[in-house]
Amino acid sequence: MRFAVITHVEHKIVSGKIYAYAPYVREMNLWFKHVDEVDIVAPTSQGTPSDIEIAYQHDQIHFETIPSITFTSIKTSVLSVFKLPSILSAIFTMCQKADHIHLRCPGNIGLLGCLVQILFPKKTKTAKYAGNWDPRAKQPFTYKLQKWILSNSVLTKNMQVLVYGTWENQSKNIKPFFTASYSNSERERYQEKQYNYKLYFIFTGGIVKGKRPLLAIQIIETLNKKGYQATLDMYGEGELLSELTSYISDNQLQHVVSLKGNCSKAVIKNALKSAHFLMLPSKSEGWPKAVAEAMFFGVIPIATNISCVPNMLDFGQRGILIEPNRSQAVKEIIAHLNEEERLKQMSKAALNWSQNYTLDVFEKEISKLLISG
């Protein structure tokens, strides 16, 4: 089988190997185990792979470099419009050669892939929509357009669309799905944690506005002011790093908040084994891997009520749902801290649930998708 991947994810080609964002590559390597040849259409960038980038594992990968496009300003929009013909041509050529077309959405390249795949109604296709599929969510027009095209049985044929969460009134090709980070062999028995003394919180993800990292820090700051011994380690990098550094310094929080930067999977895994809580007060999510990874080791997620997060947390039985408001969030967290036995039950329930979604199970589901195609 010749498998074509159309994605906006930036890649780096170094010494004959193709690198990209590690969680994405780990997933794609599972798809690649079941195909003979791989074609990838994606943007590239220069530089040495970082700690959170790894290489694909397949000996028959054909890579087609396309320019990245953005529409954040008049200048970038005009430049991007001029790039569209060459990008569409590359996507069309790849689709023409492929036995199976795989789209990664949402994203600008994913949108172009959604349009081109209409021209290939007889080819088998899958689309992984990694964003928020909630029909009620406020999203950019391009995201809504991708969702509409993928759901439209007249335009989109012979495709299974993998989405996070179960939503009402969906077309037949929409398939609730999940993602995974750990294998069956990495499962560990539940270890009871104590919540009546020092509390260790962790934040993993981009230090960007959409993740609200400052709110996570402010929650920890308020908990300490109220007499709780709470510390927060933040793993990740992004545009808000200097702002957070200044806030920590200005408010003398160095003893309770630590910015760790990007770290390897092994470092994150060890941190999760020690943590009591995960903080993720995001504005939007698909299936937040940070939440599922934390739950895998009995870490209780503290997250906003968005996308499929309430389902993951069983509406408060496997984690704490908060509003994106400092005082309300702290009030909700303290209410739970006053019920230690409930927290222990929550931690165990989180672990038991997350350990059902391993890489082994994920790979089996992927193979079914390719076979059924």
Side-chain angles (χ1 to χ4, degrees), residues 184-200:
N184 286 344
S185 63
E186 293 177 283
R187 287 172 172 160
E188 296 186 0
R189 290 185 177 182
Y190 171 70
Q191 299 290 326
E192 187 174 280
K193 301 182 181 185
Q194 304 302 315
Y195 300 90
N196 56 0
Y197 185 42
K198 292 183 178 180
L199 302 172
Y200 175 30

Side-chain angles (χ1 to χ4, degrees), residues 44-76:
T44 56
S45 62
Q46 301 298 314
T48 303
S50 69
D51 288 339
I52 58 169
E53 293 175 311
I54 61 172
Y56 290 118
Q57 296 174 1
H58 199 282
D59 56 7
Q60 289 293 325
I61 297 180
H62 314 282
F63 193 91
E64 181 70 23
T65 299
I66 56 174
S68 58
I69 53 175
T70 59
F71 297 89
T72 54
S73 67
I74 295 176
K75 182 179 179 180
T76 59

Side-chain angles (χ1 to χ4, degrees), residues 13-30:
I13 303 175
V14 180
S15 302
K17 292 185 177 182
I18 305 169
Y19 294 80
Y21 181 54
Y24 158 79
V25 173
R26 288 192 191 99
E27 178 185 327
M28 294 316 305
N29 282 337
L30 296 179

Side-chain angles (χ1 to χ4, degrees), residues 61-128:
I61 297 180
H62 314 282
F63 193 91
E64 181 70 23
T65 299
I66 56 174
S68 58
I69 53 175
T70 59
F71 297 89
T72 54
S73 67
I74 295 176
K75 182 179 179 180
T76 59
S77 297
V78 171
L79 290 173
S80 294
V81 167
F82 280 104
K83 297 174 184 176
L84 290 181
S86 63
I87 297 173
L88 288 167
S89 175
I91 294 173
F92 180 86
T93 301
M94 283 293 189
C95 289
Q96 208 170 28
K97 295 176 183 177
D99 299 309
H100 186 108
I101 300 167
H102 182 69
L103 307 181
R104 305 296 296 194
C105 300
N108 290 327
I109 304 302
L111 174 56
L112 298 180
C114 287
L115 295 171
V116 173
Q117 63 82 24
I118 296 172
L119 303 175
F120 300 92
K122 293 183 179 180
K123 296 210 174 190
T124 58
K125 292 166 277 189
T126 48
K128 176 71 177 291

Side-chain angles (χ1 to χ4, degrees), residues 348-368:
K348 188 174 183 178
L351 179 144
N352 290 338
W353 176 84
S354 185
Q355 290 191 359
N356 288 317
Y357 298 98
T358 62
L359 289 169
D360 308 75
V361 176
F362 189 57
E363 185 177 348
K364 286 181 182 178
E365 293 300 316
I366 287 172
S367 65
K368 291 177 186 177

Side-chain angles (χ1 to χ4, degrees), residues 104-111 114 129 133 141-151:
R104 305 296 296 194
C105 300
N108 290 327
I109 304 302
L111 174 56
C114 287
Y129 193 92
W133 192 262
F141 170 75
T142 54
Y143 283 30
K144 292 181 179 180
L145 180 58
Q146 287 170 73
K147 291 163 76 171
W148 180 77
I149 294 172
L150 293 173
S151 301

